[in-house]
Amino acid sequence: MAQENIESTLHEDRQFPPSKAFVDTASLHAEQLEALYQRAEQDHEGFWADVARAEIDWKQPFAKTLDDSNAPHYRWFPDGKLNVSYNCLDRQLEKNADKTAIIFEGEQGDVEHISYRDLHQRVCVFANALKAQGVTKGDRVVIYMPMITEAVIAMQACARIGAIHSVVFGGFSASSLKDRIEDTGAKLVITADGGHRGGKIVELKNTTDQALDGACDTVETVIVFKRTGHDVRMNPSRDVWWTDITRDQPDTCEPEWMDAADPLFLLYTSGSTGKPKGIQHGCGGYLLNAITSMRWVFDIQDSDVFWCTADVGWITGHTYVAYGPLATGATQVIYEGVPTVPDAGRFWDVCQRHGVTIFYTAPTAIRALMKVGDDVPKGYDLSALRLLGTVGEPINPEAWMWYYNVIGGGRCPIVDTWWQTETGAHMIAPVPGVTHAKPGSCTRPLPGIDAAIVNDDGEEITKANQGGYLVIRKPWPSMIQTIWGDDQRYKDTYWPYFDGKFYLAGDSARQDVDGFYWIMGRIDDVLNVSGHRLGTMEIESALVAHPKVAEAAVVGRPHDVKGEAVFAYVVLKGERPEGGIDDEMTQELRNWVGTEIGPIAKPDDIRYSDNLPKTRSGKIMRRLLRAIAKGEEITQDTSTLENESILLQLQGKA
Ligand code: WT7
């Protein structure tokens, strides 16, 4: 791992302090935040113990805060007992029973308001139904659902009875679903006939049938929720309808009291190579950081209407849809579909109609919506918004500014939140009433998160703007517990260096003169061009800063002189040039990048396409782009591509 000299030349000095109006109503102010940092620094475990006592209702209080006897499998609050669903639902009933927990909106426009009382009952009913199907504590349950309230009910019901859920994103193929079911050894699968997405029906039940066909012999039962009402085949010896099995179940259900370090869920995520990893999270620690981040980063308050647009198939949809908002008694919006149905105003329409005050989405969505122009959002009343958030990739300053001015009206702070499936909750993020945001920076680690940037030898890099490995040096409550069924891979992947002392995030990053963090990209996406290390994301950011560029993806391709050459795929704002070639534009962009970053970063190749290949979760498929850049045959699974036709354009064949 040679990484000593990552160069970063991205200069962004603009600062955006929160407005006085925001500060006046924010719940966390500078002095209080400083006190949290100090306390955490003086006594890391004591700090988290205090917060855990204040924020979680324990059935049995913990006496021990952290068990590190089997590190790096840390166990937080090991002798404490709790139930996550109890903390999300039951404890809201005293004050908030009639408060709206969920405002659900289907893609076709159906809207439902569900109170905490109602949600609690539905979760209890379904939890009883699961028990009646033979599910007990520790069993794995795979959830393959549309983005509807019942997906959250299913997750909460599992949490209530101590079953370990594993949600598989509804956009995944039958074979991905099969792999995940087999890895978990699930006894039961919860799905729906279908869901509405992009104006079409997603065939969830059919895909489940394909996945289970001749495989997954651990699965005894499939529960099917009727969402679309279209015809699906039911296998009488295996499949049951949600309505049938819940009809006679009581609407209360004593929660299963769990050890804090018992697993809550598994969520599969891709590694840089190999089969997906089942990231395991535990009950107490995970819940704690879901709550603290809702408070510190989202400043969640009683009157807020919170909307995180992520699907429950991703960690963001776990922490900031299924758990965090409920555990803090918030009102949240859940939307089933895509942002472009019936048109690109849908997100803003949802914000307007439901009075959304906190909006959290991904930079890729922001850029896509930016592409259609300012007139679309300007046609909606977005004045209820008070806070905006982003997650998933570095946001380029242009998209940040657009989000800030056009969506936030220049009045809403933006929280750029760095975290991962493995970290469970926000790690590096602004505290919006305090932090002076900088476009493109996720700012500073949260209290109790001991992040650092280190070199090959594990020494902290203190020099400003010098890139290195992003690591976390002390355990934190919502950390990954292990990779399901593969403790060795857990150790090898996340604790490989520095004597296993630091958690290796897999990202490179730099800190600026103010100590703010700038994520430079995945370690595996860092290019080495003539001995210079360049972050692909920085080149992309530079390209996207060009007025004619809508989106860009940069990969490396082998080069016999330079080692690696920079290969850029570019989506222009206007028409794609004839045959994908435009020498003048290419020259202009090469020079542009030369001026933005330095001649070394100039792309050697630029290929134009109508779109970039993305997974359904919006991640650019870099491995595919690298293969194309190398002129290799495509062996990747392209079944998750939103748009298969652009493959030819990327290959320069159309
Ligand atoms: C990777 C984790 C965390 C939920 C969504 C993605 C990148 C995430 C940011 C950000 C720059 C970011 C990192 C990280 N990433 N947030 N705010 N700025 N990069 O979860 O699929 O586990 O991916 O996403 O590279 O390692 P994930």
Side-chain angles (χ1 to χ4, degrees), residues 160-240:
R160 195 163 189 92
I161 65 172
I164 304 168
H165 63 68
S166 184
V167 183
V168 177
F169 176 56
F172 275 121
S173 65
S175 88
S176 308
L177 177 60
K178 179 190 101 188
D179 290 347
R180 287 160 173 75
I181 294 172
E182 289 195 326
D183 197 68
T184 59
K187 189 187 244 181
L188 185 138
V189 176
I190 305 167
T191 188
D193 47 358
H196 299 288
R197 218 178 136 79
K200 298 192 194 105
I201 286 180
V202 183
E203 294 280 353
L204 296 166
K205 177 59 168 69
N206 285 348
T207 309
T208 305
D209 289 345
Q210 284 170 38
L212 296 180
D213 187 24
C216 310
D217 4 301
T218 53
V219 175
E220 293 162 13
T221 311
V222 176
I223 300 175
V224 187
F225 181 78
K226 189 175 283 205
R227 169 65 184 152
T228 53
H230 75 297
D231 257 356
V232 292
R233 245 182 321 127
M234 293 293 274
N235 173 344
S237 64
R238 190 196 64 194
D239 304 345
V240 291

Side-chain angles (χ1 to χ4, degrees), residues 2-9 453-456 461 463-470 507-510 518-523 525-527 531-536 538:
Q3 187 84 18
E4 45 319 298
N5 197 20
I6 296 170
E7 281 179 39
S8 179
T9 44
I453 295 170
V454 300
N455 66 16
D456 282 328
I461 294 174
K463 192 170 161 232
N465 295 321
Q466 173 99 34
Y469 301 105
L470 179 56
D507 281 346
S508 57
R510 65 184 167 93
W518 297 76
I519 306 298
M520 297 167 70
R522 296 291 303 183
I523 292 171
D525 282 330
V526 170
L527 308 182
H532 294 266
R533 280 143 212 256
L534 294 166
T536 52
E538 286 184 291

Side-chain angles (χ1 to χ4, degrees), residues 167 217 223 271 276 281 353 391 452 456 461 465 472 481 493 600:
V167 183
D217 4 301
I223 300 175
H281 279 290
R353 276 184 294 106
V391 60
D456 282 328
I461 294 174
N465 295 321
I472 305 178
Q481 294 185 308
T493 308
I600 184 72

